[in-house]
Amino acid sequence: AQSVTQPDIHITVSEGASLELRCNYSYGATPYLFWYVQSPGQGLQLLLKYFSGDTLVQGIKGFEAEFKRSQSSFNLRKPSVHWSDAAEYFCAVGGTGTASKLTFGTGTRLQVTL
Amino acid sequence: EADIYQTPRYLVIGTGKKITLECSQTMGHDKMYWYQQDPGMELHLIHYSYGVNSTEKGDLSSESTVSRIRTEHFPLTLESARPSHTSQYLCASSSGGAVNEQFFGPGTRLTVL
């Protein structure tokens, strides 16, 4: 069965500081990996995705993530955080097939201090 | 920008009432999903559909039911709402391609008194 672990429930960073959110996955084959962001009271917005190829993927809002197969990780990074980045971040893993269901992690809440 | 809509955005209702949460998408996506999300918690898949007249139960057992009569419409119904149904319900859709990138609606926050 596929699973996702986000070890950090809550992270606080200062505006302008760098950010790394951790994500570890378990999947039997080559995974498709996603990072979504959720602002309070809103749905989820896709930040970036990894399907194949270059293991460093660029997303929207200045985010990037690196796929490391040997560590089963897909950590999200941003070099300089803005106050508007405060939100809940979800990592998800999925695959191909008819169902193509996604499994989400429990999320990491990011707080940005000014 | 993905076009997936959910109504109502907020609903407060009494125990025993029948409710239907609406979800519509204008992208022509074959696959649609319903997730349940409690505050500060992960998303749990409760229903999904491969296409018209196809519905399946998700990983989390739910007393709700769904239908898929039209490609663009995937409503969720609770025949008799209870306080335990209080939660946020998120609808999503994806294309029929091999890779499952899902687009989400804004969600419906349901409170059952």
Side-chain angles (χ1 to χ4, degrees), chain A residues 70-90:
Chain A
S70 61
Q71 298 177 20
S72 298
S73 69
F74 188 57
N75 294 348
L76 181 72
R77 301 195 294 250
K78 187 170 185 178
S80 178
V81 170
H82 189 262
W83 65 266
S84 60
D85 293 325
E88 188 90 20
Y89 290 80
F90 291 94

Side-chain angles (χ1 to χ4, degrees), chain B residues 31-64:
Chain B
K31 299 174 186 174
M32 296 189 73
Y33 311 82
W34 275 104
Y35 293 88
Q36 184 174 340
Q37 182 187 30
D38 292 325
M41 302 294 287
E42 70 222 80
L43 284 73
H44 292 285
L45 181 68
I46 53 175
H47 298 283
Y48 60 99
S49 168
Y50 305 147
V52 172
N53 294 324
S54 154
T55 61
E56 299 287 341
K57 289 192 178 295
D59 304 321
L60 180 69
S61 176
S62 174
E63 295 169 343
S64 59

Side-chain angles (χ1 to χ4, degrees), chain B residues 97-110:
Chain B
V99 182
N100 188 31
E101 175 182 339
Q102 295 184 14
F103 296 90
F104 283 80
T108 294
R109 182 162 295 281
L110 172 66

Side-chain angles (χ1 to χ4, degrees), chain A residues 6 13 16 18 21 23 35 39 49-50 52 62 74 78 91 102:
Chain A
Q6 293 182 250
V13 299
S18 63
L21 302 182
C23 172
W35 275 100
S39 298
K49 59 197 176 192
Y50 171 78
S52 64
F74 188 57
K78 187 170 185 178
C91 181
L102 291 182

Side-chain angles (χ1 to χ4, degrees), chain A residues 44, chain B residues 1-5 25-27 29 93 102-105:
Chain A
L44 275 69
Chain B
E1 187 76 19
D3 295 325
I4 180 164
Y5 308 98
Q25 50 95 6
T26 59
M27 297 170 283
H29 285 170
S93 71
Q102 295 184 14
F103 296 90
F104 283 80

